[in-house]
Amino acid sequence: MSAAKAQPDAILLIGIRHAASLRAALPPAAADFPLARQLLHTVDGPATVGMLAERTDEAVGNVSHHVRVLAEARLVEDVPELARDRRERWWRQTSAEMRWARADFEGSPADAAVADAAGSLMLDRHVAAARSWPARRAGYPEQWREDCAVSAEAWLRLSPDEAREFGAQLIALFDAWSHRPVPDDGQEREPVLAFGHVVPAAP
């Protein structure tokens, strides 16, 4: 990744912005949602379907289908000025991150089921990334192996308003890092997954 690129250097998987986007981006069976999410975050700059298929090791036809789904949800857009002929199509993100609130879906049991399925799949991906780090650690340079992978938890006693305030502060921290221009300082940067969950629970 070029250090001069003004793009997020952390992949923040913290939700879907609009209910309509979630319904459009998540197929009815929910089975292919992880690929749609992966593609969305793989489009870190203009790319063709062929380029995305190579990056994700997926079939071109499968990637093409999911890119169209993301385009219908207005999460990626065509970049016609980059096409060198009528058959070539380039795509780019329309937004750096997606976000949703569970309350957006309370009016429809079908929409609520879609939101719950998406949330479950995202949590699976978060846990899988964290759980696989020990096996992947040796493949990173030494400076990445010490103190860069962080895990923390805290049991808090909060009111509903305080829980919302805590969540807003957490999201603001994510936003500050994901929206910053990447410094042009010659350092090599890697994608980093940062995620947070704040839920009522008992110890």
Side-chain angles (χ1 to χ4, degrees):
M1 176 169 60
S2 170
K5 269 189 173 182
Q7 66 182 50
D9 63 346
I11 303 176
L12 306 179
L13 302 183
I14 53 176
I16 301 287
R17 177 166 297 163
H18 301 299
S21 294
L22 179 60
R23 285 193 297 270
L26 181 61
D32 293 331
F33 184 61
L35 177 55
R37 295 283 304 184
Q38 182 183 6
L39 285 172
L40 183 62
H41 292 286
T42 300
V43 186
D44 56 5
T48 65
V49 166
M51 294 166 63
L52 295 173
E54 184 176 350
R55 293 176 194 173
T56 58
D57 197 28
E58 293 283 343
V60 170
N62 196 24
V63 170
S64 178
H65 165 73
H66 283 84
V67 167
R68 288 195 300 271
V69 169
L70 293 171
E72 290 172 4
R74 299 189 298 278
L75 298 174
V76 300
E77 63 185 1
D78 191 10
V79 192
E81 61 270 23
L82 296 181
R84 292 168 294 187
D85 56 52
R86 293 183 178 180
R87 293 185 301 173
E88 186 176 69
R89 298 189 72 177
W90 289 73
W91 301 90
R92 67 184 171 200
Q93 283 188 23
T94 58
S95 174
E97 79 280 329
M98 300 188 299
R99 183 173 301 146
W100 92 81
R102 181 60 173 75
D104 294 341
F105 300 86
E106 294 296 345
S108 164
D111 288 350
V114 170
D116 289 342
S120 179
L121 288 165
M122 289 198 322
L123 180 58
D124 287 346
R125 179 169 179 173
H126 297 170
V127 172
R131 183 173 287 141
S132 68
W133 169 243
R136 295 183 291 107
R137 186 173 176 273
Y140 281 76
E142 183 176 356
Q143 60 267 32
W144 275 102
R145 301 176 199 168
E146 300 298 332
D147 302 326
C148 291
V150 177
S151 175
E153 72 171 50
W155 287 100
L156 310 175
R157 295 192 67 84
L158 304 176
S159 69
D161 285 343
E162 289 169 339
R164 282 188 282 270
E165 179 182 358
F166 183 88
Q169 291 175 358
L170 182 63
I171 290 173
L173 177 63
F174 284 1
D175 284 347
W177 280 90
S178 65
H179 295 156
R180 68 163 189 157
V182 176
D184 186 7
D185 55 10
Q187 294 191 68
E188 290 293 326
R189 288 176 166 81
E190 297 281 351
V192 172
L193 172 63
F195 61 90
H197 294 267
V198 180
V199 295

